């Protein structure tokens, strides 16, 4: 879901290793098909308002290499959403291996004079200077997911709610505990990379919400947003806790390894909440044949929204449902809770 790295070497969110990764790669990766989905064409096809073709807009785009499912979905969603509009020309540039390489590619893009640039940076802090450069040159920047620290470096910032993911995961757990009459639950947490601000925010939202309700985390392990590290950390967490009531795993792709460890240990006494909203996680939740009972969203569909809003910015239009004449400056997408009851509604957004 949804700020995913310092650089590619530090942030291979999915399938970074061989042991578990080799067997699960296909399960977590997204398709390279960039045709618009029903969800992506909904806004472009609806009558009236901002959906009517306007001034032709050239949208430049850059995101880190698709080395895992979530990032691949970001790029594919952006391409597909651009293809849904007859008045949008989409120009993607290679991000390179690190922030410096991405900035060099983006500087070349500026010389081509796009109307708007949509950028998911390798690192928001390191690419902040580029955002300032582009904005000064008169090219509005839509900062996607990994935040620029300087508000002058972007026209629009759109991202997921990491703190809200933790709140949503804890809230679901608390509801289950109350329904089952569990007053002193044993709770486990399998986080992502601890050095990342997004992981810290997710854990804080989780702990804050549990604490407010008189609960606490009994054992916390930090994985690396990969299937193999998820499996390794989950195995250790299961060994440390002979009885568990619930586990929150921060990332659904990482969760493939977590579920493998649970299966190997033959543990069934608890339920698990995932994170991000992968298609496989939703299918597992629907099937209801594993401990995974819910996931909280951090959807790469934000890239589709970024393209739609970049189009409006380039055309000087606001959002038709808002009174204001311009697109807002900041948009944080709420983290929603997906369960067996509503998974079918969200599958179209899964990656």
């Amino acid at each position: 879901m949804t700020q995913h790295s310092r650089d590619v070497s530090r942030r291979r969110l999915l399938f970074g290793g061989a042991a578990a990764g080799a067997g699960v790669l296909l399960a977590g990766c997204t398709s390279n098909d960039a045709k618009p989905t029903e969800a992506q064409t909904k806004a472009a096809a609806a009558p009236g308002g901002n959906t009517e073709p306007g001034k032709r807009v050239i949208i430049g785009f850059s995101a880190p290499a698709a080395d895992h499912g979530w990032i691949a979905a970001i790029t594919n969603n952006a391409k597909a959403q651009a293809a849904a509009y007859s008045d949008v020309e989409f120009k993607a540039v290679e991000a390179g291996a690190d922030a410096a390489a991405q900035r060099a590619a983006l500087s070349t893009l500026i010389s081509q004079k796009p109307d708007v640039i949509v950028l998911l940076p390798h690192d928001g802090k390191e690419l902040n200077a580029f955002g300032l450069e582009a904005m000064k040159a008169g090219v509005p920047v839509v900062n996607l997911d990994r935040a620029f620290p300087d508000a002058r470096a972007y026209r629009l910032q759109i991202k997921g709610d990491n703190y809200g993911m933790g709140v949503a995961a804890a809230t679901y757990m608390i509801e289950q505990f109350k329904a089952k009459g569990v007053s002193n639950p044993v709770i486990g947490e399998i986080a992502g990379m601890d050095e990342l601000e997004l992981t810290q925010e997710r854990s804080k939202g989780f702990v804050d919400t549990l604490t407010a309700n008189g609960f606490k985390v009994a054992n916390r392990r930090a994985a690396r947003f990969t299937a193999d590290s998820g499996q390794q950390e989950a195995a250790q967490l299961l060994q440390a806790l002979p009885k568990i009531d619930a586990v929150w795993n921060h990332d659904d792709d990482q969760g493939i390894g977590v579920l493998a460890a649970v299966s190997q240990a033959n543990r069934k006494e608890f339920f698990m909440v995932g994170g991000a909203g992968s298609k496989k996680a939703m299918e597992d939740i629907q099937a209801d044949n594993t401990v995974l009972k819910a996931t909280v969203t951090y959807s790469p569909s934000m890239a589709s929204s970024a393209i739609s809003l970049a189009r409006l910015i380039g055309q000087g239009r606001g959002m038709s449902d808002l009174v204001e004449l311009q697109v807002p400056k900041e948009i944080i997408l709420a983290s929603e809770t997906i369960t067996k009851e509503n998974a079918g509604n969200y599958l179209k957004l899964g990656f």
Side-chain angles (χ1 to χ4, degrees), residues 229-242:
S229 68
Q231 185 171 8
Q232 292 164 10
E233 296 302 329
Q236 294 186 49
L237 182 141
L238 293 170
Q239 283 185 328
L241 299 175

Side-chain angles (χ1 to χ4, degrees), residues 247-319:
V247 171
W248 181 37
N249 164 62
H250 285 207
D251 181 84
D252 286 332
D253 290 328
Q254 175 176 284
I256 295 171
V258 174
L259 286 175
V262 171
S263 178
Q264 288 175 354
N266 194 28
R267 297 284 292 272
K268 301 176 182 178
E269 81 279 8
F270 63 91
F271 67 89
M272 186 170 94
V273 180
S278 75
K279 184 178 180 181
K280 185 178 189 309
M282 294 183 208
E283 291 171 343
D284 285 345
I285 290 167
Q286 275 190 317
D288 197 19
N289 55 11
T290 73
V291 297
L292 182 64
K293 303 303 179 186
T295 187
V296 292
T297 61
Y298 194 90
S299 176
S301 64
M302 65 178 76
S304 297
S305 299
I307 294 296
S308 293
L309 294 170
R311 169 180 173 263
L312 296 182
I313 291 170
Q315 293 173 340
R317 296 200 256 186
M319 298 169 69

Side-chain angles (χ1 to χ4, degrees), residues 8-349:
V8 168
S9 64
R10 289 180 57 197
R11 293 207 60 212
R12 304 191 71 85
L13 293 192
L14 179 60
F15 311 129
V24 297
L25 254 166
L26 293 179
C29 288
T30 187
S31 168
N32 288 323
D33 185 359
K35 294 179 182 177
T37 65
E38 179 183 352
Q40 290 165 328
T41 56
K42 179 180 177 182
N50 290 326
T51 61
E52 296 177 351
K55 167 192 160 186
R56 185 163 184 79
V57 175
I58 299 173
I59 298 178
F61 176 81
S62 180
D67 60 347
H68 55 80
W70 194 89
I71 287 288
I74 281 284
T75 298
N76 286 338
N77 282 349
K79 288 180 181 177
Q81 191 64 57
Y85 295 110
S86 61
D87 51 11
V88 169
E89 180 180 346
F90 186 82
K91 284 190 175 182
V93 296
E94 294 294 330
D98 53 29
Q102 187 176 25
R103 178 169 181 177
L106 286 164
S107 294
T108 300
L109 180 63
I110 287 182
S111 68
Q112 299 175 28
K113 301 188 183 303
D115 295 293
V116 189
I117 290 176
V118 175
L119 167 63
L120 195 161
H122 272 289
D123 183 281
K125 292 179 181 178
E126 293 184 36
L127 268 295
N128 185 78
F130 167 78
L132 291 170
E133 175 189 341
M135 292 288 288
K136 187 175 181 180
V139 181
V141 174
V142 176
N143 178 208
L144 177 61
D145 184 42
R146 302 174 191 170
F148 290 149
D150 191 334
R152 298 171 300 168
Y154 57 85
R155 166 60 185 82
L156 164 66
Q157 186 170 193
I158 178 169
K159 59 182 181 176
D161 186 356
N162 286 296
Y163 184 88
M165 285 181 73
V167 172
T171 298
Y172 175 82
M173 283 187 179
I174 292 163
E175 290 171 352
Q176 299 305 304
F177 298 149
K178 289 181 178 178
K180 297 174 181 179
V182 179
S183 59
N184 189 26
V186 178
I187 302 170
E189 179 185 3
I190 302 177
M193 298 166 66
D194 260 346
E195 66 268 31
L196 298 179
E197 184 178 358
L198 71 91
T199 297
Q200 297 161 19
E201 290 175 351
R202 292 177 186 183
S203 285
K204 183 167 176 24
F206 188 57
V207 171
D208 285 353
T209 307
L210 290 176
T211 301
N213 287 270
F215 302 133
K216 63 181 180 179
V217 175
N219 193 289
R220 181 184 185 276
R221 310 289 307 182
R224 306 298 295 173
F225 284 119
T226 64
D228 60 327
S229 68
Q231 185 171 8
Q232 292 164 10
E233 296 302 329
Q236 294 186 49
L237 182 141
L238 293 170
Q239 283 185 328
L241 299 175
K243 180 187 178 299
I244 305 174
D245 291 290
V247 171
W248 181 37
N249 164 62
H250 285 207
D251 181 84
D252 286 332
D253 290 328
Q254 175 176 284
I256 295 171
V258 174
L259 286 175
V262 171
S263 178
Q264 288 175 354
N266 194 28
R267 297 284 292 272
K268 301 176 182 178
E269 81 279 8
F270 63 91
F271 67 89
M272 186 170 94
V273 180
S278 75
K279 184 178 180 181
K280 185 178 189 309
M282 294 183 208
E283 291 171 343
D284 285 345
I285 290 167
Q286 275 190 317
D288 197 19
N289 55 11
T290 73
V291 297
L292 182 64
K293 303 303 179 186
T295 187
V296 292
T297 61
Y298 194 90
S299 176
S301 64
M302 65 178 76
S304 297
S305 299
I307 294 296
S308 293
L309 294 170
R311 169 180 173 263
L312 296 182
I313 291 170
Q315 293 173 340
R317 296 200 256 186
M319 298 169 69
S320 59
D321 288 336
L322 298 184
V323 174
E324 288 72 25
L325 301 180
Q326 295 187 349
V327 170
K329 174 79 170 176
E330 307 266 356
I331 296 179
I332 299 177
L333 304 177
S335 184
E336 302 172 73
T337 303
I338 300 173
T339 64
K340 183 180 179 180
E341 288 69 32
N342 64 6
N345 298 330
Y346 287 89
L347 272 170
K348 60 190 176 183
L349 298 178

